[in-house]
């Protein structure tokens, strides 16, 4: 999967060149994701954009696509629940703990980040 | 259309009155009329016929008019009949209708569907509100610009415009990535977090004068492995954030320095990592504006960083020729703000000078020399130039902003004031070795503690030449700190890797806890600090790690309010406790106790 930076440059919606601040931020995000990936018990990380298309992933293609589609729907629903109850509120993160592992997702303005970890490793 | 004249009608009616002549007339009329009319008249009754009936045929307008006139002039007048009238209808020629239709392209349509929720409406309103605010701000700025045509402000505006443009619709998921990192850390360190929050050692009930330290997280960074932790400082506003400065006490090799900002929520990697040119020996965070951090470096410079702006370049830094200390800066402190625009930093260094640095107008750093050169005065030489001491420790009085304590390498402690540049308020020969740290008691500022490389921790009171308490810890003491929650608890870190925690109220002679905190044997502890809110300590060591430990309940005893029901607040209680203790200890005009603690290494 491609680098986050290259993806940003290839996006048609934003044809302008990245400013240095944005490059720095993208680099920091890359580093953070690397660190998360090397964390104990983490299976994979996926970055999904607001339409549900996976941008970056450390897992194989089929699981990535599956996770991306299903999880983004869940995130949207969860977010809409929180905001319907109180529009000033917003979803920070969502953990789904299952028997085998834990799916953690953090929604952002344009993205959703997903990490699958085995907590009791 | 009727071409019938009134004459015509009269003649017709006259004809009706006389039947005889009627028929003749009819017969006369008929062929003419028939000739003119057509099949349509055949079924018409006799009564109908006398009515002058004009068939309107456009090609023959003249003939029907001419005939009835001829008739009316000849026959006799007939009586008019009012009652007998008849109606006759006829069909007019209809224009043949044709249908002509055209088809155009239908207007283009797009199907649009959306579902609206309450929060989408709210978001739209908020966005609009923000835009309006932006516009108002711009208007105000334009007005200001008109008032003062300063070129600087144009630059600022240009920068702000750039900033606005930079808020492009594209954002990278930094916040989400940070949150996820913390979440994943939460999973890994789950047990430690639970311990930190909830573990209270139950065996403390049975141990009266003993307490323990439970090790929690260890904060370390790959880059910092070769350094020792030279200073740590907690953030007052967010009690889970602290800053650690990395350098080395070995002055043979000069290295670059490092400063890391850690948060307890993410023990695996620092929040911010700042690299500086020379080793960091002192760190301080501003009391209210906690993104401002000042560093004291080993080459004598001072750097101020603003974490909200940039981690790479310092906001201000002292120049390397005149505006700096000539030796390593051992301690830096922010002073309590006198005015909102001016912020002052005090620094002490090994060249024996205490300098004050003033930041003004957010742009300039201006150095105001309040240099306090220390003349020892004890050793008189023939040259009559005063010897200056080397300062190693600096703390400010908690309530009076002008007074501060200075510890020197010669083992002396001086009490000074910012108002007097050459005279000390008091002076005491405290230790035999360099004074490593001086700290004021939070509840009774007349009491302060000092520690030094001569293995001793001494507790002093203002205006007393002799210390109130003196503890021998068996190893050079690197740091001492009073607890923020109790007036009688203090902690000391020694070079043999131990943390000693004393509670003077419980035991005046021995520490409640003497515990090795680091795993490696050769590891020396360099700094210790209490968390302002939670019941934990962080300890910096010489291998670049910061360990955090939780104190057991015996070490955290707070004074209970009296049972008589008087509501006294915590601070007063602590003060009373300390006063009581001191009154026991103070014996007027007698030398006070010199106490030795166990110095056997376990």
């Amino acid at each position: 999967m491609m680098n986050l930076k290259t993806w940003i440059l290839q996006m048609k919606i934003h044809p302008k060149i990245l400013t240095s601040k944005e490059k720095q931020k993208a680099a920091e995000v890359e580093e953070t994701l690397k660190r998360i990936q090397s964390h104990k018990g983490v299976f994979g990380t996926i970055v999904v954009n607001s339409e549900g298309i996976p941008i970056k992933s450390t897992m194989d293609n089929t699981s990535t696509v599956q996770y991306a589609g299903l999880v983004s729907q869940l995130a949207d629903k969860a977010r809409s629940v929180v905001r319907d109850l109180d529009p000033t509120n917003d979803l920070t993160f969502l953990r789904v703990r299952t028997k085998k592992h834990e799916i953690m997702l953090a929604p952002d303005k344009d993205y959703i980040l997903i990490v699958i970890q085995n907590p009791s490793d | 259309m009727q071409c019938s004249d009134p004459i015509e009608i009269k003649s017709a009616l006259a004809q009706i009155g006389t039947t005889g002549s009627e028929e003749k007339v009819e017969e006369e009329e008929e062929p003419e009329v028939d000739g003119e009319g057509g099949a349509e008249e055949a079924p018409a009754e006799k009564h109908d016929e006398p009515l002058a009936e004009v068939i309107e045929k456009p090609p023959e307008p003249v003939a029907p008019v001419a005939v009835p006139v001829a008739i009316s002039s000849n026959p006799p007048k007939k009586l008019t009949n009012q009652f007998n009238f008849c109606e006759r209808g006829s069909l007019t020629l209809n224009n043949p209708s044709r249908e002509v239709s055209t088809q155009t392209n239908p207007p283009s349509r797009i199907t649009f569907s959306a579902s609206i929720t309450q929060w989408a409406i709210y978001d739209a309103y908020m966005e609009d509100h923000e835009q309006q605010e932006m516009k108002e701000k711009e208007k105000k700025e334009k007005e200001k610009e008109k008032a003062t045509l300063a070129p600087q402000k144009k630059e600022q505006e240009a920068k702000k415009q750039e900033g606005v443009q930079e808020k492009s619709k594209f954002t990278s998921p930094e916040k989400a990535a940070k949150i996820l990192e913390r979440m994943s850390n939460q999973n890994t360190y789950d047990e430690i977090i639970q311990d930190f929050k909830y573990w209270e050692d139950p065996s403390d009930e049975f141990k009266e004068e003993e307490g323990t330290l439970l090790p929690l997280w260890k904060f370390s960074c790959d880059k910092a492995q070769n350094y020792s932790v030279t200073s740590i400082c907690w953030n007052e506003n967010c009690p889970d954030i602290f800053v650690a400065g990395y350098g080395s006490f070995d002055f043979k090799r000069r290295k670059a320095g490092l400063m890391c900002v850690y948060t307890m929520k993410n023990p695996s990697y620092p929040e911010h990592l700042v690299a500086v040119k020379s080793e960091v020996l002192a760190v301080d965070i501003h009391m209210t504006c906690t993104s401002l951090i000042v560093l004291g470096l080993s080459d004598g410079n001072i750097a101020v960083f603003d974490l909200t702006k940039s981690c790479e370049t310092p906001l201000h830094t002292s120049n390397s020729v005149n505006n700096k200390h000539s030796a390593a800066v051992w301690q830096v402190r922010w002073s309590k703000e006198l005015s909102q625009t001016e912020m002052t930093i005090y620094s002490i260094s090994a060249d024996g000078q205490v300098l004050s640095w003033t930041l003004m107008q957010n742009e300039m750093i201006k150095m105001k020399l309040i240099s306090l050169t220390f003349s020892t005065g004890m050793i008189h030489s023939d040259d009559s130039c005063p010897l200056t001491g080397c300062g190693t420790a600096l703390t400010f009085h908690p309530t009076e902003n002008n007074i501060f304590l200075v510890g020197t390498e010669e083992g002396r402690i001086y009490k000074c004031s910012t108002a007097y540049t050459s005279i000390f308020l008091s002076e005491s020969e405290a230790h035999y070795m360099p004074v490593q740290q001086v700290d004021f008691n939070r509840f009774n500022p007349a009491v302060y503690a000092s520690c030094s490389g001569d293995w001793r921790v001494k507790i002093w009171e203002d205006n007393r030449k002799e210390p109130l308490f003196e503890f021998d810890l068996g190893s050079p003491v690197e740091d001492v700190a009073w607890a923020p929650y109790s007036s009688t608890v203090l902690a000391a870190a020694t070079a043999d890797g131990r943390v000693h925690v004393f509670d003077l109220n419980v035991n005046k002679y021995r520490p409640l806890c003497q515990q090795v905190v680091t795993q490696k044997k050769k590891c020396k502890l360099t700094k210790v600090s209490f968390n302002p809110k939670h019941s934990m300590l962080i300890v910096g060591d010489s291998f670049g790690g910061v360990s955090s430990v939780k104190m057991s309940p015996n070490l955290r005893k707070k004074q209970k309010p009296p049972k008589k029901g008087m509501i006294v607040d915590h601070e007063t209680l602590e003060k009373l406790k300390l006063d009581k203790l001191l009154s026991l200890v103070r014996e007027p005009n007698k030398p006070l106790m010199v106490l030795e603690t166990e110095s056997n290494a376990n």
Side-chain angles (χ1 to χ4, degrees):
Chain A
M1 276 271 180
M2 50 182 151
N3 199 352
L4 195 65
K5 252 191 257 181
T6 46
W7 178 81
I8 292 165
L9 287 168
Q10 286 172 20
M11 267 181 86
K12 286 180 188 175
I13 308 172
H14 305 284
K16 71 170 184 137
I17 305 169
L18 286 180
T19 59
S20 61
K21 244 193 182 180
E22 285 173 354
K23 280 184 196 165
Q24 202 185 37
K25 284 186 189 174
E28 277 178 26
V29 170
E30 283 276 348
E31 227 191 274
T32 313
L33 288 176
K34 252 194 214 171
R35 267 184 272 137
I36 296 176
Q37 180 58 35
S38 60
H39 225 84
K40 198 172 77 166
V42 171
F43 289 152
T45 54
I46 307 173
V47 180
V48 177
N49 75 351
S50 49
E51 294 163 20
I53 302 168
I55 301 169
K56 188 171 163 58
S57 164
T58 57
M59 293 165 45
D60 56 286
N61 211 8
T62 37
S63 353
T64 302
V65 169
Q66 252 194 325
Y67 269 105
L70 297 167
V71 169
S72 54
Q73 288 177 37
L74 181 65
D76 284 339
K77 189 68 182 173
R79 193 186 221 166
S80 120
V81 164
V82 169
R83 299 212 75 193
D84 270 343
L85 293 170
D86 177 8
T88 54
N89 207 352
D90 198 5
L91 182 67
T92 318
F93 65 81
L94 186 67
R95 281 180 192 267
V96 182
R97 203 171 253 213
T98 70
K99 282 187 201 168
K100 295 188 183 172
H101 47 241
E102 179 168 339
I103 304 172
M104 304 185 282
L105 53 120
D108 195 69
K109 218 173 156 190
D110 304 318
Y111 303 94
I112 303 176
L113 268 75
I114 306 164
V115 168
I116 301 120
Q117 188 185 25
N118 190 353
S120 58
D121 207 345
Chain B
M1 261 180 34
Q2 287 181 359
C3 296
S4 55
D5 305 329
I7 304 164
E8 204 181 85
I9 297 169
K10 275 184 188 171
S11 67
L13 287 172
Q15 288 169 16
I16 295 164
T18 55
T19 50
S21 56
E22 203 185 310
E23 287 175 357
K24 287 178 191 175
V25 176
E26 286 177 12
E27 284 168 9
E28 283 178 14
E29 281 189 20
E30 274 188 295
E32 292 163 6
V33 171
D34 277 338
E36 296 166 9
E40 296 166 357
E41 283 182 26
E45 291 170 18
K46 287 183 183 176
H47 294 287
D48 293 340
E49 285 177 14
L51 254 181
E53 190 261 327
V54 178
I55 299 160
E56 297 162 10
K57 271 193 179 175
E60 294 173 51
V62 181
V65 176
V67 171
V69 173
I71 297 169
S72 63
S73 56
N74 293 327
K77 281 193 182 175
K78 287 181 183 173
L79 292 170
T80 56
N81 187 348
Q82 303 165 298
F83 304 110
N84 207 355
F85 70 95
C86 53
E87 250 183 55
R88 213 187 219 184
S90 68
L91 284 174
T92 57
L93 186 67
N94 292 333
N95 289 325
S97 63
R98 276 186 208 171
E99 239 183 68
V100 176
S101 64
T102 55
Q103 257 193 346
T104 56
N105 283 332
S108 55
R109 288 185 197 176
I110 307 172
T111 331
F112 174 78
S113 67
S115 51
I116 194 72
T117 49
Q118 192 190 5
W119 48 269
I121 300 172
Y122 175 83
D123 278 345
Y125 270 112
M126 293 306 286
E127 229 187 86
D128 188 48
H129 181 69
E130 271 172 38
Q131 277 183 2
Q132 282 189 0
E133 278 187 350
M134 291 277 289
K135 280 183 190 172
E136 279 181 26
K137 271 188 190 175
E138 279 171 26
K139 275 186 190 174
K140 281 183 189 174
E141 275 168 27
K142 279 182 186 172
E143 282 172 23
K144 278 185 189 173
E145 251 203 19
K146 284 177 189 174
T148 58
L149 292 167
Q152 280 183 4
K153 289 196 178 176
K154 280 185 186 173
E155 280 178 26
Q156 281 180 14
E157 241 210 32
K159 279 180 194 171
K160 277 180 193 173
Q161 280 178 5
E162 275 178 30
V164 168
Q165 282 171 8
E166 275 185 21
K167 274 188 201 172
S168 59
K169 290 180 188 174
F170 173 75
T171 52
S172 50
E174 349 155 337
K175 260 195 185 172
K178 259 196 181 167
I179 292 174
L180 261 182
E181 199 184 358
R182 289 184 182 185
M183 283 167 77
S184 133
N185 271 309
Q186 222 181 7
N187 277 339
T188 328
Y189 294 108
D190 186 36
E191 296 154 355
I192 298 180
I193 293 175
Q194 303 289 335
D195 278 346
F196 160 72
K197 257 299 193 179
Y198 302 117
W199 171 254
E200 306 290 353
D201 197 348
S203 64
D204 266 19
E205 286 178 58
F206 308 108
K207 300 184 231 170
E208 274 198 15
E209 291 182 2
E210 269 182 57
T212 48
L213 299 172
L214 179 75
L216 296 173
W217 305 280
K218 185 162 181 197
F219 302 92
S220 66
C221 173
D222 288 338
K223 291 186 186 176
Q225 295 253 342
N226 297 330
Y227 295 95
S228 14
V229 175
T230 50
S231 54
I232 42 182
C233 184
W234 283 100
N235 184 325
E236 298 286 326
N237 282 347
C238 310
D240 62 280
I241 297 181
F242 66 91
V243 175
Y246 294 88
S248 79
F249 293 116
D250 177 17
F251 289 104
K252 292 173 197 168
R253 289 178 279 164
R254 290 274 160 140
K255 288 185 260 188
L258 198 62
M259 181 200 66
C260 291
V261 181
Y262 287 99
T263 168
M264 282 165 20
K265 296 177 189 172
N266 183 356
S268 60
Y269 198 76
E271 290 288 296
H272 300 279
L273 204 112
V274 179
V276 275
K277 286 180 195 169
S278 83
E279 294 152 0
V280 176
L281 289 176
V283 180
D284 197 26
I285 305 182
H286 196 268
M287 279 116 1
T288 44
C289 178
T290 50
S291 63
L292 289 175
I293 300 179
V294 61
L295 304 178
L297 305 176
S298 73
D299 61 358
N301 276 323
I302 291 192
V304 178
F305 282 88
D306 187 346
L307 291 177
T308 50
K309 290 186 185 167
S310 155
C311 281
E312 305 293 320
T313 51
L315 198 63
H316 308 287
T317 180
S318 58
N319 293 332
S320 27
V321 179
N322 278 330
N323 272 9
K324 70 170 190 123
H325 285 282
S326 36
V329 178
W330 280 109
Q331 190 73 273
V332 282
R333 295 275 183 215
W334 285 101
S335 79
K336 287 186 189 172
E337 259 173 71
L338 304 164
S339 65
Q340 287 226 342
T341 48
E342 284 190 19
M343 295 191 215
T344 324
I345 304 166
Y346 288 90
S347 65
I348 187 168
S349 92
D351 61 1
Q353 308 238 343
V354 176
L355 300 181
S356 96
W357 309 75
T358 319
L359 307 179
M360 285 166 66
Q361 285 185 349
N362 297 336
E363 287 293 335
M364 305 186 306
I365 180 166
K366 205 177 168 186
M367 196 202 75
K368 219 196 298 179
L369 254 180
I370 302 181
S371 69
L372 298 160
T373 48
F374 304 105
S375 52
T376 56
M378 290 286 291
I379 301 168
H380 297 281
S381 66
D382 295 331
D383 299 354
S384 74
C385 78
L387 288 168
T388 54
C390 302
T392 49
L394 172 74
T395 30
F396 271 84
H397 198 275
T399 45
E400 292 174 50
N401 295 343
N402 293 330
I403 298 181
F404 57 93
L405 285 177
V406 169
T408 64
E409 263 186 36
E410 291 77 32
R412 289 175 186 212
I413 297 179
Y414 298 101
K415 183 176 167 190
C416 320
S417 166
T418 52
Y420 306 112
T421 54
S422 50
I423 314 170
F424 316 123
L425 298 179
S426 78
E427 179 181 332
S428 62
E429 299 257 358
H431 292 277
Y432 301 117
M433 294 272 285
V435 176
Q436 297 286 13
Q437 184 69 279
V438 189
D439 195 24
F440 277 104
N441 188 314
R442 308 266 193 282
F443 296 92
N444 185 349
V447 175
Y448 57 92
S450 69
C451 71
S452 124
D454 66 354
W455 297 9
R456 293 200 154 78
V457 171
K458 296 189 184 178
I459 298 176
W460 308 82
E461 197 187 351
D462 231 355
N463 301 325
R464 280 192 158 262
K465 288 235 159 175
E466 300 291 333
L468 294 170
F469 294 93
E470 193 176 320
F471 302 104
D472 183 336
L473 299 181
S475 165
V477 186
E478 302 287 336
D479 198 7
V480 72
W482 284 99
Y485 53 83
S486 164
S487 55
T488 51
V489 174
L490 68 149
T494 57
D496 60 356
R498 273 182 223 219
V499 175
H500 306 250
V501 181
F502 293 86
D503 188 346
L504 302 170
N505 205 25
V506 174
N507 190 332
K508 291 195 272 288
Y509 310 106
R510 283 180 182 202
L512 293 189
C513 171
Q514 273 179 329
Q515 190 170 326
V516 177
V517 175
T518 52
Q519 290 164 346
K520 295 179 189 171
K521 283 190 181 175
K522 280 191 184 173
C523 198
K524 302 179 198 172
L525 297 183
T526 51
K527 286 285 166 185
V528 73
S529 180
F530 282 89
N531 184 313
K533 196 175 164 193
H534 308 288
S535 56
M536 62 184 264
L537 285 172
I538 42 169
V539 182
D541 61 35
S542 57
F543 285 141
V546 178
S547 324
S548 58
V549 287
K550 182 166 180 175
M551 295 185 284
S552 66
N554 270 350
L555 303 176
R556 303 191 323 245
K557 276 189 184 164
K558 293 185 193 179
Q559 187 73 341
K560 288 177 197 169
K563 288 180 187 176
K564 287 181 186 174
M566 274 175 50
I567 302 170
V568 189
D569 72 322
H570 175 65
E571 263 198 53
T572 343
L573 284 171
E574 294 290 335
K575 282 183 191 171
L576 290 171
K577 177 174 71 163
L578 185 63
D579 286 340
K580 200 171 159 189
L581 177 71
L582 292 179
S583 61
L584 288 175
V585 172
R586 268 183 237 147
E587 295 179 23
N589 299 326
K590 278 188 191 171
L592 291 160
M593 309 171 264
V594 173
L595 306 156
E596 285 210 9
T597 59
E598 282 181 20
S599 48
N600 300 330
N602 291 337

